[in-house]
Every structure is written in C-alpha cells, then in structure tokens.
Amino acid sequence: MRCVERTFEYMDGLVFVCLLRSRQIDAQLFDENIVRQNWFHILVYGGFRVMVPAHDLQAAGEVLVEFRSGVLRCDDDEMDRPTCPACHAQSGEFDHRQRRWVFLAGIVLWLAPGLVAEFLRDPLIPFFFLSSAFWLAMSMPWLLRFIVHNRLRCAECAHAWRDLPRVPFGRQQRDAEEALTVQGA
C-alpha cells in the first residue's frame, strides 16, 4: 500500500476514499482511529493517510488532481441549501463563528486562573473560581452542542439563524431506507 494523500480533515479523507472506491480503486483511510482518539496530537501523527495499492497509485493521483482542482464539485443547482428567513434566498450555509467563540472561551477559561493568580499574587481564590468555571463548561457537552449545532448564515444578506430539524433523525432514516428499497425494486 502506498500513501496518495495526507489530510488533517477527517471528512476530506473519507470523501476522497469514497471517490477512489467509486472508481474501483481499493482505498483505505489509515490512522483513522488513532488520530481521532487524540486529536490534539494530529500534527504529531501526521493526519490521516489515504492508502492505495501500489499498482493503483497513478490512477489515484489523477483522481486527487481532479478532487483538488474542483472538477468533481457539485453544481450549485444540484445543492439543496436552506432558505434564508430574512431575504428568502437559497444561500444558507453553516455558520462556524460559534465554534470559534467556544474554542476561544475554552482557551481563555483554561489560561485565566493561572494568569489572574499570578497577577493578584493570591493563587487560591481566582484559581478555584475560574478553573471550576472551565471544568463546569467542559462537563456540559449538551450545552456546547446547543451553542454550535444547527447554526446557519445567509451568504447574500449575512443573516444568521438557528435551524432546528423538524423531523427526528430516526424517522428520516426510516424514510431514506424506504426510498432506497422502493428505488431498488
């Protein structure tokens, strides 16, 4: 097996493996479970490796060039984008600003106790309150999920909104399975 691509994005690696497999190239995503277990060390691990057999290396390289150049990108007409509630344009896309704010808040809450304790020269009180705020925030994954999931932003008018799924996931999954069985019959 030979490495045809290294990526630090898990979904990019999966998409590329699926593209290669759709062209009958036996591709594997190496280091998938190791890197995902400790993602703080993703640079040390070298990211995810897309591996193919040595005799398929040239064909995989050609697919990689198409993948990176955007030739395989879907047309905007084929994309199902959410409708903006403000301007009614179908240009909704994921809004990543909340993820950045949560990440920044985590860093600040992690570093703040030591900095405040050093500044005030009274290490116990600020350290206790700020570090407990950090651990309290990190111990509530449902709160973090509420803050970052289903946030959308309009590419035209920059309106931001939260789009809640109207149909439960289990029902969507059953509907998809039924559609596949009807289509396959």
Side-chain angles (χ1 to χ4, degrees):
M1 298 288 279
R2 303 288 306 262
C3 179
V4 69
E5 169 72 344
R6 282 186 181 265
T7 180
F8 295 109
E9 293 291 331
Y10 178 64
M11 291 306 293
D12 286 347
L14 285 179
V15 167
F16 187 54
V17 166
C18 290
L19 282 172
L20 291 172
R21 288 181 182 170
S22 71
R23 298 194 180 186
Q24 284 72 40
I25 298 173
D26 182 29
Q28 302 293 327
L29 188 62
F30 275 37
D31 304 328
E32 175 181 12
N33 294 325
I34 294 171
V35 175
R36 289 181 66 209
Q37 289 297 318
N38 195 352
W39 60 273
F40 282 117
H41 294 135
I42 193 168
L43 294 175
V44 175
Y45 294 139
F48 304 98
R49 294 180 294 163
V50 178
M51 305 290 279
V52 297
H55 58 84
D56 287 331
L57 188 61
Q58 184 177 1
E62 293 169 5
V63 175
L64 178 64
V65 169
E66 290 177 1
F67 179 64
R68 285 187 178 164
S69 67
V71 172
L72 302 175
R73 186 182 189 98
C74 294
D75 294 333
D76 285 338
D77 299 339
E78 297 175 3
M79 302 277 291
D80 184 25
R81 295 185 181 260
T83 304
C84 175
C87 69
H88 303 291
Q90 285 191 325
S91 61
E93 55 191 22
F94 289 110
D95 188 8
H96 298 288
R97 291 179 302 164
Q98 283 79 13
R99 291 174 190 251
R100 293 181 190 126
W101 283 110
V102 166
F103 187 69
L104 181 64
I107 290 173
V108 167
L109 287 174
W110 185 62
L111 291 176
L115 295 175
V116 171
E118 183 65 32
F119 180 70
L120 295 178
R121 300 284 185 209
D122 186 12
L124 193 58
I125 294 173
F127 181 77
F128 174 74
F129 286 116
L130 291 174
S131 64
S132 62
F134 168 74
W135 290 113
L136 182 67
M138 293 299 124
S139 67
M140 291 190 244
W142 56 269
L143 178 63
L144 296 176
R145 185 175 187 273
F146 175 78
I147 292 171
V148 299
H149 276 275
N150 301 322
R151 302 292 180 160
L152 300 170
R153 185 178 179 89
C154 181
E156 293 187 17
C157 70
H159 176 71
W161 75 96
R162 181 175 172 84
D163 188 29
L164 297 174
R166 292 167 185 80
V167 181
F169 178 74
R171 190 175 195 185
Q172 290 177 9
Q173 188 175 16
R174 282 192 302 274
D175 293 345
E177 288 173 356
E178 289 174 6
L180 286 175
T181 57
V182 169
Q183 187 180 28

